[in-house]
Amino acid sequence: MHRLSRRELLHSALCAGAVLPALPRALLADWRRAAERGSSDRPYLDAALRAEHWIRSTAIDSAKGRTWPAVPGDAKRGTPESTLYSGAPGVVLFYLELHAFTGERRFLDEAVRGAVDIAAAIPESAAAVREAGRGRVDLGRLPGVALGGDIAPAIPKSAAAVREAGLYEGLAGHVFVLQAVHRASGRDDFAAAARRGAKAIAAAAIPNGDGVVWNDVTDIISGSAGIGLALLAERDLLGDEALDLARRTGDRLIALAKPVTEGQRKWMMDYTFPREMPNFSHGTAGIAYFLATLSAQGGERRHLDAALDGARYLRAIAAPSGDGFVIRHHDGDGAQLFYLGWCHGPVGTSRLWQRLAALDRGGKWSETEDGGARGLIAQGVPEQRTEGFWNNISQCCGNAGVAEYFLERFRRGGKADDLAYARRQADDLLHRGTTDGDAERWVQAENRVSPLDVAAQTGWMQGAAGVGAMLLHLDAATRGDRRGRAVVFPDSLSAA
């Protein structure tokens, strides 16, 4: 059975409009049970190793290499998934992190096995990407988008195309992973596969008005902003063509911007989805982040100007939270719904403030970022679980992403409060784990609107791989090691 992509979930309204029901007290008690974890003085490293043990126990070997199911043991979702967002590529990155932080060769060997499987699926040419871009979604599989009683326009080719080209849901994510494994292992076959994939992405670019596109989507997850960031990270594979395509990607995004007032612009996820989600994963924050990054890496002043307009719009719609602020999940009936993680909250949107702080020193963007961090803390998480911070502990929407952000703040500023808050998130996360001997997993609800649909997942943005990586970073920070991530994502501040 096909597992819906993040974009398809949005189009089917699974991520957008239901009310979170109350959770059973017994279930909360199970999550919070205190497990006996021994007397180790490195509990975060221990938990990361237990996460690896559980992931390894789910591995599936093939003639091509090794992969892992997204949701082990689930009859419907227990097959391997290929996206960086929640599939096997994220598990490969966790093994690279384990190798970097422990020095153990066995972890690099696991990453190589997973990369062999990914490399085998890289297309030989752009034909598959182009064909997906020309195709149309089987609308029989996807319900319409109910918004105030209206049905959104029919979904065109996008949902098919995003599985071919995007960063978190597509080929660009595979290229990034193969590059990372090549750097760690030195194996030229991974570099060759990454180059083949990068050339396929470049060849599949579709001229459109002022620039290029791959699908109808603008965002970080599967659209132009994420692909543009991947191109900037692929300059060693494509040379000058990567920067040229990234510039043209930025130019098309500028043309798609919607004016708000003088000095403010915003972007929609795509023209078929009328609900505006302004934050990082699907909205203005992520697109402005790409444009700002592009301006710093060989782009033009117009790219920075557009990014600044987007940032000013986001500041204008911010809502007070304590002595800071938060930004709504979506417009209309979501005006009082505030996510707190990477996807639709301060964790992701902070990347825009940080990027602009280095490019526009008079804009008070560092103060803006601090305001977003204070606004997040004022929401009372992780102890207070809300609609915007539900039973999810992962990098995208939950504890792990918030902890990762405050670890990054600690590395930049050295403030003990930031490290303490990261530990607070991680300690709550550990109480929610399920331990079986030497293995640990986290049973969670991936989507806010289906909080009782819980499962243990293996991937990066949703699952144990991303959780384990955060725990490695926290273990290092508590021992005075501020080196941060071993693998730098294209949408990370450190990528520039």
Side-chain angles (χ1 to χ4, degrees), residues 176-267:
F176 159 62
V177 171
L178 291 171
Q179 284 181 288
V181 180
H182 162 67
R183 294 187 186 107
S185 68
R187 286 184 47 160
D188 291 339
D189 54 336
F190 295 137
R195 187 171 294 107
R196 187 169 70 246
K199 288 181 177 179
I201 292 170
I206 305 166
N208 190 304
D210 302 89
V212 297
V213 298
W214 286 262
N215 52 50
D216 299 321
V217 193
T218 61
D219 68 13
I220 291 285
I221 291 283
S222 56
S224 292
I227 296 168
L229 288 168
L231 287 168
L232 292 175
E234 294 167 8
R235 294 171 73 170
D236 60 330
L237 300 177
L238 295 175
D240 293 341
E241 184 180 12
L243 180 57
D244 176 65
L245 278 173
R247 286 192 187 116
R248 295 170 67 195
T249 302
D251 289 344
R252 182 57 187 161
L253 285 169
I254 290 174
L256 290 171
K258 293 180 176 291
V260 181
T261 64
E262 184 176 355
Q264 295 183 22
R265 299 179 230 189
K266 67 179 181 180
W267 284 265

Side-chain angles (χ1 to χ4, degrees), residues 80-275:
E81 184 178 317
S82 64
T83 71
L84 176 58
Y85 183 81
S86 57
V91 175
V92 171
L93 296 183
F94 177 40
Y95 276 110
L96 291 183
E97 293 273 358
L98 282 161
H99 173 64
F101 278 87
T102 68
E104 293 191 33
R105 175 73 194 200
R106 64 189 177 101
F107 295 135
L108 179 58
D109 291 343
E110 285 295 301
V112 166
R113 291 185 184 102
V116 168
D117 193 78
I118 294 169
I122 298 293
E124 292 294 335
S125 70
V129 186
R130 289 198 194 100
E131 188 59 33
R134 283 195 294 265
R136 294 180 65 86
V137 177
D138 177 4
L139 294 178
R141 286 193 331 204
L142 301 177
V145 183
L147 296 173
D150 296 326
I151 300 299
I155 304 168
K157 63 194 178 189
S158 304
V162 295
R163 286 193 291 275
E164 296 297 334
L167 175 57
Y168 280 94
E169 291 187 351
L171 183 56
H174 298 175
V175 171
F176 159 62
V177 171
L178 291 171
Q179 284 181 288
V181 180
H182 162 67
R183 294 187 186 107
S185 68
R187 286 184 47 160
D188 291 339
D189 54 336
F190 295 137
R195 187 171 294 107
R196 187 169 70 246
K199 288 181 177 179
I201 292 170
I206 305 166
N208 190 304
D210 302 89
V212 297
V213 298
W214 286 262
N215 52 50
D216 299 321
V217 193
T218 61
D219 68 13
I220 291 285
I221 291 283
S222 56
S224 292
I227 296 168
L229 288 168
L231 287 168
L232 292 175
E234 294 167 8
R235 294 171 73 170
D236 60 330
L237 300 177
L238 295 175
D240 293 341
E241 184 180 12
L243 180 57
D244 176 65
L245 278 173
R247 286 192 187 116
R248 295 170 67 195
T249 302
D251 289 344
R252 182 57 187 161
L253 285 169
I254 290 174
L256 290 171
K258 293 180 176 291
V260 181
T261 64
E262 184 176 355
Q264 295 183 22
R265 299 179 230 189
K266 67 179 181 180
W267 284 265
M268 307 295 285
M269 182 177 75
D270 69 42
Y271 66 81
T272 73
F273 194 64
R275 176 177 286 144

